[in-house]
């Protein structure tokens, strides 16, 4: 493998290029999340150079986010965005290699929302009405068969 000197791209230059070249083509929520992740990296790790963002620093960032009360699902979303951005930087020649990012495993995300008591009662009522209709139609079919 050929030796490549370490990149001299600063973290701020990387963020600026990503924000001008990639973010305009992304959905608004995705762009906002990416900016949030970049700000969190600045706040927690404060790398001067892009190459300073290594696996150890990213793992430290994850633990600090947990201590700050950040949900596992949020940390996982942050890591996905960071990984995608760093992969883009690698493809652009800004990084020689993408640091290994361990993704949080324990993510208990709720699918949807809990139903309200009123919704549950309405659902039971509709099921009961449907069962009564099925009973009536069977009874009517039996009467027709007898006649």
């Amino acid at each position: 493998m050929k030796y490549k000197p370490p990149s001299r791209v600063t973290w701020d230059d990387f963020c600026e290029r990503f924000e001008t070249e990639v973010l305009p083509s992304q959905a608004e929520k995705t762009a906002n999340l990416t900016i949030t992740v970049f700000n969190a990296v600045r706040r927690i790790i404060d790398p001067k150079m892009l190459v300073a963002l290594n696996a150890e620093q990213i793992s430290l960032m994850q633990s600090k986010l947990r201590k700050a009360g950040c949900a596992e699902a949020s940390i996982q979303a942050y890591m996905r965005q960071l990984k995608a951005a760093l992969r883009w930087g690698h493809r652009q020649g800004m990084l020689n290699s993408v640091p290994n990012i361990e993704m949080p495993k324990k993510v208990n995300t709720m699918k949807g929302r809990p139903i309200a008591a009123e919704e549950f009662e309405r659902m039971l009522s509709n099921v009961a009405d449907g069962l009564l209709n099925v009973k009536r139609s069977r009874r009517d079919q039996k009467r027709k068969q007898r006649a």
Side-chain angles (χ1 to χ4, degrees), residues 36-137:
T36 301
V37 170
F38 287 174
N39 289 336
V41 169
R42 262 190 210 99
R43 187 180 71 250
I44 296 170
I45 300 173
D46 194 26
K48 302 301 179 223
M49 304 300 287
L50 183 57
V51 294
L53 195 59
N54 57 31
E56 182 183 358
Q57 293 294 318
I58 294 169
S59 179
L60 179 68
M61 179 179 166
Q62 288 182 16
S63 68
K64 287 188 177 182
L65 287 170
R66 276 186 198 94
K67 285 179 186 173
C70 199
E72 287 296 311
S74 298
I75 295 171
Q76 190 176 55
Y78 281 27
M79 293 303 110
R80 275 194 312 267
Q81 287 305 114
L82 182 59
K83 191 176 208 176
L86 292 174
R87 283 180 173 171
W88 175 84
H90 176 68
R91 288 192 305 274
Q92 300 304 311
M94 296 180 188
L95 271 174
N96 292 338
S97 64
V98 179
N100 186 29
I101 298 176
E102 291 294 324
M103 299 304 253
K105 303 281 188 263
K106 185 181 84 175
V107 177
N108 297 327
T109 56
M110 183 170 60
K111 304 278 193 236
R113 63 170 178 79
I115 62 172
E118 178 188 330
E119 292 170 318
F120 183 71
E121 290 169 7
R122 203 171 358 157
M123 184 178 69
L124 287 179
S125 172
N126 287 339
V127 169
D129 290 346
L131 290 174
L132 287 176
N133 288 337
V134 169
K135 269 187 169 180
R136 283 187 203 124
S137 69

